[in-house]
Amino acid sequence: MFAKGTKRKFSDPGEEPALGAELGPVVRPLSSTYSLQRQSLLDMSLIKLQLCHMLVEPNLCRSVLIANTVRQIQEEMTQDGTWQIMTQALAAAQCPADRLVATEVLCRPSEALAAAQKEEEEEEVVVAAAMEEDVDSEANPLSSSSFLPAPFGAEPGWEDEEDDSEDEDSEECPSDAEDVPDSRRGDQVFGTFEIKHPAPPPDPALEELFSDVDPSYYDLDTVLTGMQSTPKMGPYDLLDSLSPHAAPALSTGTSCRSDLNELDHIMEIIS
Amino acid sequence: MGEDTDAPLTPLNHRGFLPDHNYVTEADIISTVEFNHTGELLATGDKGGRVVIFQREPESKNELFSQGEYNVYSTFQSHEPEFDYLKSLEIEEKINKIRWLPQQNAAHFLLSTNDKTIKLWKVSERDKRPEGYNLKDEEGRIKDLSTVTSLQVPVLKPMDLMVEVSPRRLFANAHTYHVNSISVNSDYQTYMSADDLRINLWHLDITDRSFNIVDIKPVNMEDLTEVITAAEFHPHHCNLFVYSSSKGTLRLCDMREAALCDKHSKLFEEPEDPSSRSFFSEIISSVSDVKFSHSGRYLLTRDYLTAKVWDLNMESKPLETYQVHDYLRSKLCSLYENDCIFDKFECAWNGSDSVIMTGAYNNFFRMFDRNTKRDVTLEASRESSKPRAVLKPRRVCAAGGKRRKDDISVDSLDFTKKILHTAWHPTENIIAIAATNNLYIFQDKLNSEMH
């Protein structure tokens, strides 16, 4: 039941208060142990939100509870002041040089993504998550999950687009990460639920969605980026990702496209 | 009651579908258990969409304490897997809930539901058949008319008992989200179905329309922070129902007040102890099941670590709180990691509302006597369940604590063996326990009547 190979400090009574233990509202130790544990919980929660079996609709109750946990952590980190540090560090990180080692805690078995073009095919995600044990700074640009959508990686046209827009997008990235509007918080999680559900034919929300789509919709780059950063969405959620809200943050493509999109993706969820 | 020093529980039946294999067929996992109103029939639903109905054999008059055993009465496929083409998602055939209708004629009726569709099934017996047709012979072949020389009146002759199950109603396309509860109203004409965000009221005879009576879906799904987890009608007042939420609240609603019961009549919520707040506080407060007492005066709720009895007249806090497995409180982070913290345990009342029961891990289940304040932990397992054997109480001790023989350490608990679904006979001390793909039926040997 317990993850193997990971140091567990949570239930040790002699140490600092653990995450699962009682914490008074006033007593909030900013000790490194607590911060690490909190960060680990945040990472775990984000991955849980993203790793959904897409053959069957995900359990809404579970998703809501996890999202609330994420929000709670974020609020606490905002109060601590550690949130700003982390977002700045995430923005500054262009290309995490090290491909981070998967820990038992945070990853599922890395199965090769099916190369099939079928829409019903379940997407498996290769998660490379990390917990840097660097206690000095809380500003660890970590816990990024990389998604490898094989269907898109296989297309030759995609490679060309990537090279062309590389320079342009690497400049855009920092500003994008910081400008994430709060309105998109939870959008990736619940917006998809919203769009998925069959709406009555004259749905004002959907019509508005279509009316605001800008010409970048036709840009292959945007389309594929949109697909890539939210691999768990079905075919109809492409529309959601192409909405004006999502488009700016997603229209980046760099040589480290996948990493930046992960960061953006995480920013959108947690901000 | 079946406690350690009083009348012990004995296993009556053990319906093991897979003998002594560790491998469990997913489709055989039992997902719901329900006695009918007399306790004569017991229905189980499984992940493969099948319903199995057991019937209690009439008690033998020869032996004084011989209690009727439950045997398979009927098996049928209730739901099939479907594919939602609009969303490109599968709809699971798993039976989420079964509810029996009160019996009004010779046939039995039950409602079964998966995530999206509710079905009404008629279960009837046929023990006679007509014989002596004029135009057909015994095998059903049309007779040659020239051979028919006289008229005969067909008569009903007895035949081997046959149980027929037929679908009578299909209540579909009313739920966008996953149905978690159904509840038949005491008026025996209507019932409700609840999904994560909405509750609909149906008439049993009308399938193309339903009333939406609760809707907690926010305008922006981004603002969603709370979902409906369970709902039930009051056993006597057909205008009252209760629904529970993922934030640990219960709302009692009166359908006479408004057509849309978004505003509750009563809100039951225990104020959170600020000193015990953690990141998991909300998750463990999420109510996984809610049941009215038979009297209609109390509510029983189950959250991750406790079972609570509420008085309908007191909204501020529960009347009683029972710790089901408090030894897990220090393990919440690990249980969050392996998703066990999201397990939805059900709870049950006994017929006289004096004992409550709920499941736990390691195939343990717990019973709490509300009057004597005594409780017992029992295990539903093959090894401890030889027929007529007495169940031995179990004990879970903290890791590293003093250990008695037969105690189990917290770290040795098997979290894949969880008892989520339990049911109690409406009048007698007979309980049905679903342990993954096995159904156990236990009976109180000495005290068969309810106290």
Side-chain angles (χ1 to χ4, degrees):
Chain A
M1 175 203 103
F2 296 97
K4 300 181 274 278
T6 308
K7 285 185 191 155
R8 290 254 152 245
K9 299 180 186 180
F10 300 121
S11 53
D12 195 339
E15 295 191 1
E16 328 258 6
L19 279 174
E22 289 71 23
L23 286 170
V26 178
V27 177
R28 188 154 317 128
L30 281 180
S31 69
S32 54
T33 310
Y34 176 78
S35 298
L36 274 178
Q37 291 174 356
R38 185 174 61 183
Q39 182 72 43
S40 163
L41 184 64
L42 177 64
D43 303 335
M44 203 195 303
S45 304
L46 290 174
I47 288 171
K48 278 184 186 297
L49 281 176
Q50 295 166 14
L51 292 178
C52 294
H53 286 285
M54 284 321 292
L55 271 186
V56 184
E57 219 164 336
N59 186 334
L60 187 60
C61 182
R62 176 177 173 273
S63 303
V64 166
L65 289 172
I66 297 173
N68 289 350
T69 307
V70 168
R71 237 175 248 129
Q72 197 185 332
I73 296 175
Q74 184 223 332
E75 278 166 18
E76 192 180 285
M77 288 176 84
T78 307
Q79 286 175 10
D80 290 345
T82 54
W83 187 254
Q84 268 66 35
I85 302 171
M86 188 178 96
T87 53
Q88 284 162 16
L90 280 175
Q94 301 277 328
C95 253
D98 11 84
R99 257 331 161 134
L100 309 168
V101 178
T103 65
E104 188 104 19
V105 172
L106 297 171
C107 83
R108 293 168 78 198
S110 61
E111 298 153 36
L113 285 170
Q117 306 295 328
K118 287 174 251 176
E119 290 170 356
E120 299 96 50
E121 197 90 2
E122 184 180 40
E123 283 185 88
E124 296 295 327
V125 173
V126 174
V127 175
M131 274 303 304
E132 259 186 49
E133 298 295 312
D134 186 6
V135 184
D136 293 335
S137 78
E138 331 253 56
N140 291 325
L142 305 175
S143 323
S144 50
S145 314
S146 65
F147 301 90
L148 300 179
F152 305 104
E155 290 175 7
W158 185 67
E159 299 299 326
D160 298 330
E161 291 285 349
E162 182 184 37
D163 295 332
D164 291 342
S165 50
E166 181 180 357
D167 297 325
E168 168 198 4
D169 294 321
S170 55
E171 292 166 12
E172 285 180 34
C173 176
S175 55
D176 277 340
E178 288 176 23
D179 290 344
V180 168
D182 279 349
S183 65
R184 266 184 293 124
R185 183 180 90 173
D187 195 9
Q188 293 294 356
V189 176
F190 298 121
T192 59
F193 289 101
E194 175 61 30
I195 292 297
K196 272 174 189 181
H197 301 305
D203 191 320
L206 271 179
E207 283 172 4
E208 188 189 3
L209 196 68
F210 283 110
S211 67
D212 289 347
V213 170
D214 55 7
S216 70
Y217 156 68
Y218 297 106
D219 181 24
L220 183 65
D221 192 15
T222 313
V223 170
L224 293 171
T225 317
M227 291 283 212
Q228 181 179 356
S229 63
T230 52
K232 71 182 182 75
M233 300 199 298
Y236 294 94
D237 302 304
L238 173 60
L239 306 173
D240 187 47
S241 67
L242 294 176
S243 74
H245 289 300
L250 297 176
S251 62
T252 59
T254 67
S255 58
C256 305
R257 175 201 303 270
S258 58
D259 301 318
L260 286 166
N261 284 322
E262 296 143 28
L263 298 173
D264 286 340
H265 185 34
I266 293 172
M267 291 304 301
E268 285 152 19
I269 288 185
I270 59 184
S271 59
Chain B
M1 228 306 297
E3 288 174 332
D4 40 9
T5 54
D6 287 346
L9 279 184
T10 66
L12 197 59
N13 287 93
H14 174 209
R15 299 279 154 201
F17 297 121
L18 283 179
D20 289 337
H21 290 178
N22 285 333
Y23 172 71
V24 173
T25 309
E26 278 263 314
D28 292 336
I29 295 175
I30 298 173
S31 50
T32 184
V33 184
E34 184 80 357
F35 281 99
N36 75 337
H37 292 260
T38 61
E40 183 208 352
L41 298 177
L42 174 68
T44 64
D46 65 23
K47 227 174 162 203
R50 279 181 311 247
V51 172
V52 180
I53 304 178
F54 299 86
Q55 185 189 41
R56 194 178 186 197
E57 299 302 322
E59 295 178 23
S60 162
K61 293 185 176 41
N62 297 334
E63 297 173 43
L64 198 60
F65 291 118
S66 163
Q67 309 293 340
E69 295 202 351
Y70 283 85
N71 295 313
V72 178
Y73 180 65
S74 173
T75 304
F76 62 96
Q77 187 75 32
S78 171
H79 287 73
E80 299 274 1
E82 287 172 44
F83 194 78
D84 183 335
Y85 293 97
L86 186 65
K87 300 184 222 166
S88 289
L89 291 172
E90 276 187 8
I91 299 173
E92 279 189 319
E93 68 274 29
K94 172 169 75 92
I95 309 294
N96 292 336
K97 280 289 181 324
I98 290 175
R99 289 290 182 262
W100 291 92
L101 267 58
Q103 191 176 9
Q104 289 177 303
N105 52 34
H108 297 275
F109 288 87
L110 64 81
L111 287 167
S112 69
T113 185
N114 68 347
D115 284 339
K116 299 286 184 182
T117 305
I118 306 122
K119 296 187 184 182
L120 178 69
W121 294 90
K122 177 180 177 182
V123 184
S124 50
E125 292 182 1
R126 186 195 293 268
D127 60 354
K128 298 182 186 53
R129 66 183 176 140
E131 281 180 16
Y133 282 106
N134 289 295
L135 298 176
K136 288 188 292 189
D137 65 15
E138 293 308 312
E139 277 82 44
R141 290 186 296 250
I142 308 290
K143 280 186 194 171
D144 182 5
L145 280 180
S146 60
T147 64
V148 177
T149 53
S150 63
L151 271 182
Q152 58 181 352
V153 178
V155 292
L156 287 175
K157 293 259 175 74
M159 59 178 261
D160 288 339
L161 180 66
M162 201 166 68
V163 180
E164 296 175 329
V165 180
S166 58
R168 305 300 285 183
R169 302 273 190 274
L170 191 77
F171 304 93
N173 301 322
H175 286 283
T176 307
Y177 304 97
H178 291 176
V179 175
N180 53 54
S181 312
I182 48 176
S183 178
V184 183
N185 205 349
S186 52
D187 63 7
Y188 303 156
Q189 288 185 355
T190 57
Y191 77 96
M192 70 158 142
S193 56
D195 66 29
D196 293 317
L197 297 178
R198 298 191 178 101
I199 301 181
N200 293 334
L201 180 72
W202 302 83
H203 191 285
L204 283 166
D205 292 333
I206 300 173
T207 60
D208 60 354
R209 261 169 295 155
S210 72
F211 279 112
N212 176 239
I213 53 177
V214 174
D215 188 341
I216 65 168
K217 178 171 178 285
V219 174
N220 285 322
M221 282 295 273
E222 308 157 13
D223 301 332
L224 179 65
T225 58
E226 191 175 11
V227 300
I228 298 171
T229 51
E232 197 182 45
F233 268 119
H234 191 283
H236 310 307
H237 302 298
C238 57
N239 56 301
L240 290 179
F241 66 92
V242 70
Y243 71 91
S244 60
S245 82
S246 57
K247 287 202 167 164
T249 64
L250 303 170
R251 286 177 171 81
L252 186 74
C253 299
D254 189 334
M255 293 196 292
R256 296 173 302 190
E257 285 181 355
L260 188 61
C261 298
D262 279 358
K263 222 159 83 73
H264 52 262
S265 288
K266 292 194 181 184
L267 175 69
F268 299 84
E269 188 173 15
E270 186 170 21
E272 189 180 25
D273 180 10
S275 68
S276 67
R277 177 149 185 78
S278 77
F279 286 118
F280 305 110
S281 295
E282 185 186 315
I283 299 180
I284 64 170
S285 74
S286 172
V287 175
S288 53
D289 192 19
V290 63
K291 294 263 169 47
F292 274 101
S293 64
H294 291 88
S295 61
R297 225 199 113 181
Y298 302 105
L299 283 167
L300 172 64
T301 61
R302 175 75 155 95
D303 51 62
Y304 191 62
L305 296 178
T306 71
K308 296 179 176 156
V309 174
W310 302 75
D311 187 324
L312 276 189
N313 300 318
M314 185 165 70
E315 302 166 61
S316 53
K317 61 182 168 76
L319 201 59
E320 299 147 24
T321 300
Y322 299 96
Q323 301 295 331
V324 180
H325 38 201
D326 201 56
Y327 44 78
L328 296 182
R329 200 175 286 270
S330 57
K331 312 277 181 196
L332 289 179
C333 200
S334 306
L335 294 165
Y336 178 75
E337 185 193 333
N338 64 16
D339 268 8
C340 280
I341 208 174
F342 301 108
D343 286 336
K344 294 198 192 300
F345 292 95
E346 290 173 10
C347 51
W349 294 92
N350 74 338
S352 60
D353 298 336
S354 58
V355 182
I356 62 170
M357 168 173 70
T358 188
Y361 292 107
N362 210 75
N363 279 351
F364 288 167
F365 59 99
R366 305 260 280 142
M367 285 194 247
F368 300 89
D369 189 315
R370 297 178 58 216
N371 300 325
T372 66
K373 300 301 177 197
R374 288 162 67 182
D375 62 83
V376 70
T377 304
L378 300 168
E379 183 179 0
S381 75
R382 211 173 277 276
E383 293 74 34
S384 61
S385 303
K386 311 290 184 295
R388 311 287 170 220
V390 168
L391 281 183
K392 190 176 51 183
R394 304 305 305 268
R395 210 173 78 107
V396 179
C397 58
K402 241 176 31 169
R403 242 191 96 165
R404 295 202 292 230
K405 181 174 170 294
D406 290 339
D407 281 1
I408 290 226
S409 154
V410 182
D411 295 319
S412 313
L413 292 175
D414 187 344
F415 288 84
T416 61
K417 296 188 181 164
K418 44 194 101 176
I419 293 188
L420 303 173
H421 312 287
T422 61
W424 205 308
H425 189 286
T427 53
E428 297 187 30
N429 278 341
I430 303 174
I431 56 176
I433 310 283
T436 316
N437 60 328
N438 292 328
L439 179 71
Y440 294 83
I441 301 176
F442 297 109
Q443 183 167 357
D444 188 339
K445 202 170 194 301
L446 297 182
N447 302 333
S448 56
E449 296 306 314
M450 211 67 61
H451 293 301

